[in-house]
Amino acid sequence: NMPQYSFLTVQHPDPKVAQLLANQLPNLLNKYAVYSEQEFYINEGLKYQKQIANIQKLQAETLEEIDSLTDNGKFFIGIAEKGNDNIITQLKIRLGEKLADKALAIASNDQNKLLILEKEIFALMNEISEQDILMNQNQNLRIKFKGKQKIYETLINQESIIIENLQKVDKKLSDLKN
């Protein structure tokens, strides 16, 4: 970088050649400055293109993960849409009824009915446990899905910013060439 005002001295035995060289010096300096600036912007453009390629790779990976989550999660999401909470509530109501029936069977000392009720209670408790597991898996899938969506949106925003910067660099290069 040269200071804004510079004093340069041109010496040559022939005054006409000295004058010619002195007149060409600003053009040479400007040409060098433009070349140097072009090189800088070319390197910046390459850097932005590399960043865009990396972001697009991450976008593709994130989309694959989102697709994987939605393929694996169709069953769980379907359960949630059908009202998994209602299913568990109904199962718990039935469990309460069976527990009340068990108390009556104990009071009446009906062993056959007690055995049947204990099996039904055990089955209902297992079903409630399975539904709880499915709800938790569904919740985890939803959280992962939303997180991946957020990552993808961030990558899209980053790509947009870098593309804008690349366009500015391309414009500057075009201006310098002109």
Side-chain angles (χ1 to χ4, degrees), residues 18-173:
Q19 181 66 40
L20 182 67
L21 289 174
N23 288 340
Q24 289 298 317
L25 193 56
N27 291 337
L28 290 171
L29 290 173
N30 285 337
K31 186 175 179 182
Y32 175 76
V34 168
Y35 173 75
S36 179
E37 203 170 352
Q38 282 178 337
E39 188 177 343
F40 169 79
Y41 283 108
I42 287 170
N43 289 335
E44 283 295 295
L46 292 173
K47 180 181 84 175
Y48 288 138
Q49 288 172 351
K50 186 176 179 181
Q51 287 177 342
I52 289 170
N54 288 339
I55 285 175
Q56 289 173 341
K57 180 182 172 192
L58 289 172
Q59 287 173 344
E61 290 171 0
T62 304
L63 278 178
E64 284 179 22
E65 291 173 2
I66 288 172
D67 286 344
S68 171
L69 285 173
T70 54
D71 287 344
N72 292 339
K74 283 180 185 173
F75 175 70
F76 299 114
I77 291 169
I79 288 175
E81 289 171 355
K82 293 176 184 171
N84 198 14
D85 288 336
N86 290 338
I87 293 171
I88 290 178
T89 302
Q90 289 174 1
L91 289 171
K92 287 181 179 179
I93 289 170
R94 283 180 51 205
L95 179 62
E97 291 169 353
K98 296 296 176 182
L99 289 171
D101 289 345
K102 180 182 175 182
L104 291 174
I106 290 172
S108 66
N109 204 18
D110 187 350
Q111 294 299 320
N112 289 335
K113 190 169 185 175
L114 186 61
L115 289 173
I116 292 170
L117 286 169
E118 284 178 350
K119 287 179 184 178
E120 289 176 356
I121 289 169
F122 181 76
L124 282 170
M125 289 175 73
N126 282 339
E127 184 65 27
I128 290 170
S129 176
E130 288 175 14
Q131 291 297 322
D132 280 338
I133 290 168
L134 287 175
M135 266 183 48
N136 288 336
Q137 288 174 338
N138 182 40
Q139 186 64 22
N140 289 339
L141 280 173
R142 287 177 183 265
I143 290 168
K144 285 180 184 178
F145 183 77
K146 287 181 180 181
K148 295 298 178 182
Q149 280 182 320
K150 204 63 154 163
I151 289 170
Y152 186 73
E153 290 170 8
T154 301
L155 290 170
I156 293 291
N157 290 337
Q158 287 176 346
E159 181 185 30
S160 297
I161 291 167
I162 293 172
I163 287 173
E164 284 178 29
N165 289 341
L166 181 60
Q167 289 170 344
K168 289 176 186 175
V169 165
D170 288 343
K171 170 102 173 73
K172 184 68 176 178
L173 272 172

